[in-house]
Amino acid sequence: MTVRQAIAHLYAQPEDAFYYWQGIFRYWIYRRSALRWLLRWHIRRQYEFRKVAAQDCYYAGECRCCGCRTPELFMADKACGAGRKQYPRCVGQSPCYPNMMNRTQWYRYKLNQR
């Protein structure tokens, strides 16, 4: 994503700036093994789940819908942008993963996936 595209994206979706910094910060903590305990286990598990669910985006280094950097994007609370009108590259597709869930919601989600 170029700087011009990033500015246009943030102008259209200003809340994505928060999610961008949230993902960067959480990923920074995740990458440091001495600090990894600061992230709750269900966030770490959802990060691993999202990496597998959105493999195309993970290996490309950016989301194919919104253009945000991966794997940092997978640490943010926002869901996959596929299927939303504001991301024309992915209209009509189903999202790869839902919003970040709390511990109870994550446990129930994983039980229903089996």
Side-chain angles (χ1 to χ4, degrees), residues 90-107:
C90 296
V91 171
Q93 297 178 5
S94 61
C96 301
Y97 53 85
N99 285 327
M100 190 71 75
M101 300 174 227
N102 66 30
R103 182 177 50 202
T104 306
Q105 291 169 333
W106 175 245
Y107 181 72

Side-chain angles (χ1 to χ4, degrees), residues 42-59:
H42 66 278
I43 292 176
R44 292 192 308 255
R45 298 293 183 269
Q46 287 178 77
Y47 167 73
E48 298 296 331
F49 167 76
R50 288 172 171 204
K51 276 184 7 182
V52 173
Q55 283 184 352
D56 295 340
C57 299
Y58 177 70
Y59 291 119

Side-chain angles (χ1 to χ4, degrees), residues 62-112:
E62 69 179 17
C63 177
R64 58 188 168 81
C65 298
C66 65
C68 293
R69 286 187 348 193
T70 60
E72 292 91 343
L73 174 64
F74 302 144
M75 284 286 192
D77 285 346
K78 85 177 202 177
C80 175
R84 296 186 186 154
K85 285 187 258 181
Q86 61 264 35
Y87 305 120
R89 289 188 275 175
C90 296
V91 171
Q93 297 178 5
S94 61
C96 301
Y97 53 85
N99 285 327
M100 190 71 75
M101 300 174 227
N102 66 30
R103 182 177 50 202
T104 306
Q105 291 169 333
W106 175 245
Y107 181 72
R108 288 180 183 152
Y109 181 81
K110 290 307 288 180
L111 284 177
N112 290 335

Side-chain angles (χ1 to χ4, degrees), residues 18-40 43-44 46-48 50-51 57-59 61 69-77 100:
F18 169 76
Y19 293 126
Y20 173 79
W21 287 110
Q22 180 186 49
I24 294 287
F25 181 68
R26 283 181 178 170
Y27 188 69
W28 182 83
I29 290 172
Y30 180 80
R31 295 284 302 195
R32 273 108 191 120
S33 58
L35 298 175
R36 195 172 287 180
W37 62 271
L38 290 171
L39 286 175
R40 291 168 282 169
I43 292 176
R44 292 192 308 255
Q46 287 178 77
Y47 167 73
E48 298 296 331
R50 288 172 171 204
K51 276 184 7 182
C57 299
Y58 177 70
Y59 291 119
R69 286 187 348 193
T70 60
E72 292 91 343
L73 174 64
F74 302 144
M75 284 286 192
D77 285 346
M100 190 71 75

